[in-house]
Amino acid sequence: MNEDLSLLLIMVEAGGIMAPLAFVVFHLLRSFLFIPVSVVVVAGGVLFGTLWGTIYSVIGLMGVSVFFYVFIDRMPKTQERIIKIKNRWFGEYRNLTVGQIAILRLIPFVHYHLLSFCLKQRKPKFKEYMRASLVTNIPIALFFTIFGEYISTFTPSVIGMILIGLTCLVYLLREKQNVIKWRDFFKRKTEKAAG
């Protein structure tokens, strides 16, 4: 992974005017190289600064989102694996809200394509999916680009507090549901009829 990141840095530094294009293309290749999104976005902040790093990362992440939307239905085995992981992590009948997905994308160990799949389930039409992708990609691009500038000053306890805070936000932004078991539903109904 360090070799891939070094290659990115060399390509961008040598690229001049083509450096932003190389960076955006690297976002698309990142999935195949098994490099976490956060690492590439942090590198964008280091290479281009906060403003341009964020813009180039959003463009790259939107390209990844389009790629995912177009090809996930053509890869049934991959889709089955993602469904199993989604059911294990979030539950079979639970759909994450767009806000939850945006927060979960900020947590580095939550898989980007798993969240894209959850977003596609929530917003199945292409235009809706792309709008929601933009809404969920801007925070990750902005946060990790800025985060890259200050990461060296963070202590492990500060990083732990950030992760705990993000976990609390995911819980607070959840979709609230009431689940009534089948027998409890009919038990209450028969009690009302008897009383």
Side-chain angles (χ1 to χ4, degrees):
M1 183 167 92
N2 290 336
E3 296 162 356
D4 296 327
L5 192 55
S6 299
L7 176 66
L8 170 66
L9 295 172
I10 291 168
M11 282 175 27
V12 170
E13 288 175 359
I17 296 173
M18 297 301 287
L21 180 61
F23 181 72
V24 170
V25 169
F26 192 77
H27 262 289
L28 297 172
L29 297 175
R30 173 203 57 78
S31 300
F32 302 106
L33 300 172
F34 301 106
I35 298 173
V37 172
S38 56
V39 172
V40 178
V41 175
V42 167
V46 171
L47 295 169
F48 301 110
T50 302
L51 177 65
W52 290 108
T54 301
I55 290 169
Y56 298 146
S57 288
V58 167
I59 292 168
L61 292 171
M62 290 303 291
V64 170
S65 295
V66 169
F67 182 82
F68 180 83
Y69 186 90
V70 170
F71 288 103
I72 191 61
D73 290 331
R74 298 177 185 173
M75 300 184 297
K77 287 185 181 182
T78 304
Q79 190 172 17
E80 286 174 21
R81 277 190 238 134
I82 291 175
I83 290 170
K84 285 180 186 175
I85 294 170
K86 183 236 175 216
N87 292 344
R88 195 172 341 140
W89 278 34
F90 307 122
E92 188 172 344
Y93 300 107
R94 177 158 302 213
N95 283 330
L96 299 174
T97 65
V98 174
Q100 283 180 309
I101 293 169
I103 299 298
L104 284 169
R105 283 200 169 159
L106 295 174
I107 301 173
F109 54 83
V110 179
H111 197 278
Y112 185 84
H113 292 307
L114 171 63
L115 296 174
S116 292
F117 182 77
C118 292
L119 195 62
K120 188 172 187 283
Q121 283 187 320
R122 185 90 177 165
K123 305 284 185 179
K125 294 183 180 173
F126 183 72
K127 276 188 177 181
E128 293 175 342
Y129 172 81
M130 290 310 295
R131 274 191 222 115
S133 289
L134 181 63
V135 167
T136 60
N137 284 332
I138 288 174
I140 188 174
L142 185 62
F143 181 78
F144 280 113
T145 302
I146 294 170
F147 189 73
E149 292 181 31
Y150 300 105
I151 196 167
S152 62
T153 61
F154 287 173
T155 63
S157 59
V158 170
I159 293 172
M161 288 180 3
I162 290 171
L163 290 175
I164 290 170
L166 291 174
T167 304
C168 290
L169 279 174
V170 167
Y171 177 76
L172 292 173
L173 293 173
R174 75 189 186 285
E175 187 174 58
K176 289 145 183 91
Q177 300 175 355
N178 290 329
V179 178
I180 301 172
K181 293 183 179 177
W182 188 259
R183 66 176 165 251
D184 290 340
F185 177 75
F186 284 108
K187 182 179 177 184
R188 291 183 187 153
K189 196 171 185 180
T190 38
E191 286 175 1
K192 286 181 184 178

